[in-house]
Amino acid sequence: MKLRILKVLGMLIFCGTALLLMPGCDLWDSDTESVRSLVIKPEDFSIFIFESSEEIYRANVKDPAMWAGLKEQANRDSDYASHYNWLYSTYKSMDERRRAQLKEIMDDYHPQPMADRLIQKGKQGADLEEILKFIKEDRYFSKNRNTLVDFYSWYGANYALPHYEQVKPLLQRKAQKTNSLVEKDFDVIAFMEKETGIKLKKKPENIELLMNMRIYGGAGFYRDKDSLTTIQWNSPPEKTWSVPFHEFSTPYFRTFTGNMTFKYLNAKLKKDEKLMTRFKEDVPYTWDGWIEENLTEGFARYLSVRKGITRDVGEGVYIFDHEYAQALVAGFDPQKTSLEDFTVKFLKQRYQI
């Protein structure tokens, strides 16, 4: 499983002065401010229009063998089948001019920075007309602007928008199922403080989880102190919760992972071949960040168990995140030992330091 390098963040949706945790409201205060901490919802059309066109291209042109392997998933899941079959029927309906336009666009652009440009400019909630107007005016889209406008005008009205309206209720249902795994008034920050034994002066960043129909390929975005990530269709609701738990865990761990004592311990871990091999292969972090990523992923899985979302920590995705999660479940109590002391003891025992 490839490393999840994407952070999660969110759009400004408020319920009065309260935070909107789709589909309910969740409040927490940082000093005198009411702050939105978590949003779970279907991805916006401004993201879907670009991502779906790229997925059509990958399924039919760039990575057809990979997407062909998803046919079994479609046979088992009628909801996914409606999207999977659409990827092919849409491309089949394109004439050669439209196919050439799609290829030209995909040669010069990637869907993530295209959507990110709209998000950064406050256009996340834009409809098709606003998106097209933005493409016509924004300098980012200056290359092949006429092709972009012509293609997305046609594709948006005839394919992307109708299909988005069809799948949006499916994505909303998944968002509701994800939220149903915790109580309606679940306070994420209070839960984090209780389970870490740490109270931060500066609260964690806001997070937005965007449900989509893709199975291959995720997207992550930043906007000021907000981050967003797309959640793939085959990620079940209980697994989805590990994403915000992972991201919210980072600032708590950074209360001690940045000190010199801990960095010295990290350096000693370089003797482990598995850690080092994976680090050299595909890890987009510093060495200290790589160790921290294992810890926060393990802690996220521990939190899912503590919250009653999952019965066990599941399989690991990195090197020692699974073992760390198991150790936490078996013996961590923030009332008796600090998270730092527990973590240091785990690493020393695990790597015989």
Side-chain angles (χ1 to χ4, degrees):
M1 179 175 180
K2 296 294 288 182
L3 289 172
R4 172 164 52 79
I5 64 174
L6 308 176
K7 293 275 186 180
V8 209
L9 301 181
M11 67 184 280
L12 304 174
I13 304 178
F14 291 87
C15 180
T17 58
L19 149 72
L20 179 57
L21 173 61
M22 298 293 290
C25 289
D26 181 26
L27 277 172
W28 62 273
D29 293 328
S30 174
D31 299 325
T32 58
E33 293 183 326
S34 292
V35 185
R36 173 188 48 83
S37 59
L38 179 62
V39 175
I40 305 175
K41 52 169 278 186
E43 71 175 353
D44 299 270
F45 180 68
S46 63
I47 300 173
F48 176 83
I49 188 171
F50 299 122
E51 283 210 329
S52 60
S53 63
E54 188 263 356
E55 190 178 16
I56 289 171
Y57 183 72
R58 290 189 67 181
N60 291 276
V61 181
K62 188 176 181 180
D63 299 304
M66 182 181 292
W67 259 256
L70 296 176
K71 188 173 183 178
E72 290 185 9
Q73 170 82 20
N75 291 336
R76 296 192 305 268
D77 183 349
S78 60
D79 287 340
Y80 177 67
S82 65
H83 176 69
Y84 181 76
N85 294 330
W86 177 82
L87 298 175
Y88 295 99
S89 63
T90 301
Y91 188 77
K92 186 177 180 180
S93 69
M94 294 182 184
D95 59 27
E96 289 305 314
R97 184 171 76 90
R98 296 301 183 186
R99 291 182 181 184
Q101 285 183 322
L102 179 60
K103 183 180 186 305
E104 181 182 351
I105 292 169
M106 293 298 111
D107 283 345
D108 293 326
Y109 290 91
H110 187 274
Q112 183 172 341
M114 293 171 82
D116 184 66
R117 187 69 178 179
L118 276 85
I119 291 170
Q120 294 298 325
K121 297 297 183 178
K123 303 291 186 180
Q124 185 176 344
D127 59 18
L128 179 58
E129 183 177 349
E130 292 174 290
I131 293 169
L132 294 173
K133 184 176 185 294
F134 188 78
I135 293 174
K136 290 176 183 178
E137 299 174 352
D138 191 78
R139 61 182 176 82
Y140 175 78
F141 298 98
S142 59
K143 187 175 184 180
N144 300 331
R145 192 188 302 275
N146 291 338
T147 299
L148 287 164
V149 172
D150 186 48
F151 179 82
Y152 283 111
S153 297
W154 169 82
Y155 170 72
N158 294 288
Y159 296 96
L161 186 56
H163 186 61
Y164 178 76
E165 295 298 332
Q166 179 185 359
V167 301
K168 187 176 180 180
L170 304 178
L171 300 173
Q172 182 62 54
R173 187 173 67 194
K174 184 177 179 182
Q176 291 170 341
K177 286 182 178 179
T178 303
N179 277 318
S180 71
L181 296 178
V182 302
E183 63 273 19
K184 185 177 179 180
D185 58 350
F186 177 46
D187 187 330
V188 184
I189 303 306
F191 176 66
M192 296 296 301
E193 291 178 343
K194 176 176 179 290
E195 295 301 328
T196 60
I198 300 170
K199 288 195 175 183
L200 302 175
K201 291 182 180 179
K202 184 179 180 181
K203 300 298 182 180
E205 297 173 338
N206 301 319
I207 291 177
E208 183 172 327
L209 306 184
L210 303 171
M211 306 293 170
N212 70 11
M213 295 300 299
R214 293 185 73 125
I215 289 182
Y216 293 136
F221 310 93
Y222 289 96
R223 181 184 54 226
D224 296 326
K225 294 182 179 180
D226 294 345
S227 67
L228 307 83
T229 194
T230 56
I231 303 297
Q232 295 160 330
W233 178 256
N234 59 332
S235 179
E238 61 273 11
K239 185 178 179 182
T240 298
W241 270 103
S242 69
V243 178
F245 285 157
H246 179 110
E247 301 303 332
F248 277 131
S249 293
T250 299
Y252 292 93
F253 275 82
R254 287 184 179 171
T255 61
F256 59 86
T257 55
N259 65 46
M260 293 308 298
T261 301
F262 201 86
K263 286 178 177 291
Y264 178 73
L265 175 61
N266 284 352
K268 288 183 173 292
L269 302 184
K270 290 182 178 180
K271 68 178 184 179
D272 184 77
E273 291 184 7
K274 287 185 178 179
L275 273 172
M276 182 56 70
T277 299
R278 181 71 174 271
F279 177 70
K280 291 180 178 179
E281 285 179 352
D282 61 0
V283 173
Y285 305 102
T286 63
W287 179 259
D288 290 339
W290 170 223
I291 302 303
E292 182 181 88
E293 188 71 5
N294 273 267
L295 294 172
T296 51
E297 178 63 25
F299 198 74
R301 292 167 179 273
Y302 160 75
L303 291 177
S304 291
V305 174
R306 288 288 296 168
K307 189 58 188 172
I309 294 171
T310 59
R311 292 185 178 182
D312 56 57
V313 299
E315 298 180 3
V317 296
Y318 299 135
I319 303 300
F320 63 79
D321 53 309
H322 175 72
E323 292 176 65
Y324 182 57
Q326 287 183 314
L328 287 161
V329 170
F332 179 57
D333 183 348
Q335 300 298 317
K336 298 179 180 179
T337 184
S338 70
L339 181 60
E340 179 179 5
D341 288 344
F342 184 91
T343 303
V344 168
K345 182 179 179 180
F346 166 80
L347 290 174
K348 286 183 175 180
Q349 290 180 343
R350 170 70 172 75
Y351 291 101
Q352 299 179 350
I353 297 172

